[in-house]
Amino acid sequence: MRTLDEVPEQDPQDALAGATVVVLVTHSGDLVAPVDKGRREREAAIVAHTQRVLGAARAVGARHVVAIGSAVVYGAWADRPEIQDADPLPRTDDAARDGLVGDLLAAAAVLERGRRRSPLVTQLRPAAVVGAGVDTFVTRHFEAPRLLTVRGAVRPWQFVHVDDLAAAARFAVDHALAGVLTVGAPDVLDPAQVEAASGMRRVELAAATAFGTAERLHRVGVLPAPASELAFVVYPWTVASDRLRAAGWEPRWSSAACLDVLLEGVQGRLAVAGRRVGTRDAAALGAAGAAVALIGTAAVWRQARARRRG
C-alpha cells in the first residue's frame, strides 16, 4: 500500500511503481499555508492531481485506490438527519464552493468518474478528524475564547480518530469495498457534554448575525474561506458509517475519547479571529474557526459593556 498527497506531473507512474493499493489524500487541510490561489486555480490543480493519481494507478496495475476526503461535501444545516453512504451530494452555490468544500467536491467528481474504470475506487468521507498534529477549522473552533452556537439550532458533535480512519482505509481494501464510505465514531455528543468536557462557555447568536459577520470578514479579506463554512461548527453533519459497520468494521475511539484528544492538542493555544496569539503562525487563518473566535469574542465584549451600562 502506498499513501500519496503529491504525485509529480512528469512520469507520475514512476512514483507508484510496484504499488498494488494507493491511498490518496484529496486535501491536506493545511490551515497554516497562505490561501494565495483563487477558486478556479485551486480546483484545477486538485482535479489535475486526482486525475494523475488515477491514471498512474491504472498504468502500474494497482488494484485499489482509496481516496480520503471529508463528509463536509454533504453540507451542514440545522435539521440535517444522519448522513448515509448512499445520500447524494447537495447542489452548492458558487459562494459555498469558494473554499475547502469546493476543493473536495472537485476531487469527488473526478473520483466518481474514475470508479467506472478499473481499479476499484473507494471514497472515504470522515466526520471531523482528530489526532496528533491534526489542525482543521473544527480543532481551531476549540481554540476560540467561546463556543459559538446559533439560536434555535442544536449542534451534536461527532469525531473520528485518525487511527480509525487509517483502519477504515485498510478495512475497505481487505474487503474490496468500493464507492462511498462515511467514517465516524459510533457515539454523538450533545452540546452540554462538549461544554462540560471543554470547560468552555458558549455564546449564542442569531444565525443572521453570525453568518452576516462572517461574510463581511470574508469580503474584506480577514477570512480566506466563505461564510458558508461556518455552518460546519454550528450545524450537524453526523455520519452513519453504515456500509463499513454492516461489513464488520468497528472504530476503537469514541467521540468522547476523540474530544479528549482534541482538547489536549489545543491546550494552551488561543485563536482570536483564527489567529493564534503569541505564536509564529499568528497570521494563519482557520476559516470557520476564525469567524467563531472573532464573533464570539465580540459578542462577549458587547454583553460586558451592556452590563456595565446597566
Side-chain angles (χ1 to χ4, degrees):
M1 181 181 293
R2 186 161 302 172
T3 304
L4 290 175
D5 55 15
E6 187 61 44
V7 170
E9 295 184 19
Q10 297 295 324
D11 301 319
Q13 66 276 7
D14 292 347
L16 299 183
T20 58
V21 175
V22 176
V23 180
L24 167 67
V25 179
T26 58
H27 197 287
S28 68
D30 186 3
L31 298 181
V32 177
V35 181
D36 55 1
K37 296 180 180 178
R39 167 194 158 190
R40 295 189 184 280
E41 186 180 358
R42 286 197 326 272
E43 288 190 8
I46 288 172
V47 166
H49 184 242
T50 306
Q51 289 173 334
R52 283 199 302 274
V53 171
L54 291 178
R58 285 193 294 269
V60 300
R63 59 184 172 85
H64 204 144
V65 174
V66 179
I68 298 175
S70 172
V72 296
V73 293
Y74 293 102
W77 51 86
D79 58 350
R80 177 80 200 223
E82 189 176 53
I83 299 167
Q84 308 292 323
D85 291 350
D87 286 352
L89 296 181
R91 293 187 176 184
T92 57
D93 57 26
D94 285 343
R97 291 187 68 98
D98 188 22
L100 171 66
V101 177
D103 295 348
L104 290 167
L105 284 170
V110 176
L111 293 162
E112 175 61 21
R113 293 191 296 270
R115 77 176 180 83
R116 303 187 184 101
R117 305 167 63 184
S118 60
L120 288 179
V121 176
T122 303
Q123 294 190 59
L124 295 185
R125 293 175 180 166
V129 179
V130 305
V134 174
D135 182 17
T136 69
F137 62 78
V138 173
T139 63
R140 292 220 176 168
H141 179 67
F142 290 88
E143 296 180 26
R146 296 289 188 273
L147 289 172
L148 177 66
T149 60
V150 168
R151 194 168 299 141
V154 177
R155 202 290 188 214
W157 288 90
Q158 182 191 39
F159 303 97
V160 62
H161 196 280
V162 67
D163 289 348
D164 280 336
L165 181 55
R170 181 169 291 278
F171 187 92
V173 171
D174 291 342
H175 293 76
L177 299 178
V180 172
L181 302 172
T182 55
V183 191
D187 59 323
V188 177
L189 306 177
D190 63 36
Q193 290 174 300
V194 172
E195 290 171 33
S198 65
M200 298 173 68
R201 296 171 60 186
R202 61 178 168 171
V203 172
E204 185 179 272
L205 298 177
T209 301
F211 286 92
T213 303
E215 178 55 38
R216 289 192 292 274
L217 293 173
H218 176 58
R219 195 180 307 127
V220 299
V222 174
L223 290 180
S228 56
E229 289 192 7
L230 184 63
F232 296 101
V233 293
V234 296
Y235 295 142
W237 43 292
T238 303
V239 302
S241 307
D242 41 345
R243 289 184 60 211
L244 276 170
R245 292 185 187 175
W249 174 80
E250 290 292 340
R252 294 178 56 193
W253 293 78
S254 65
S255 283
C258 286
L259 179 59
D260 288 341
V261 171
L262 188 162
L263 294 172
E264 183 178 354
V266 303
Q267 189 173 9
R269 295 176 180 172
L270 176 63
V272 177
R275 301 172 186 266
R276 285 190 179 145
V277 178
T279 66
R280 288 189 176 185
D281 65 341
L285 290 166
V292 169
L294 188 58
I295 296 169
T297 303
V300 171
W301 288 339
R302 286 197 299 271
Q303 291 168 2
R305 286 199 300 269
R307 285 196 295 270
R308 286 197 295 271
R309 293 192 190 102

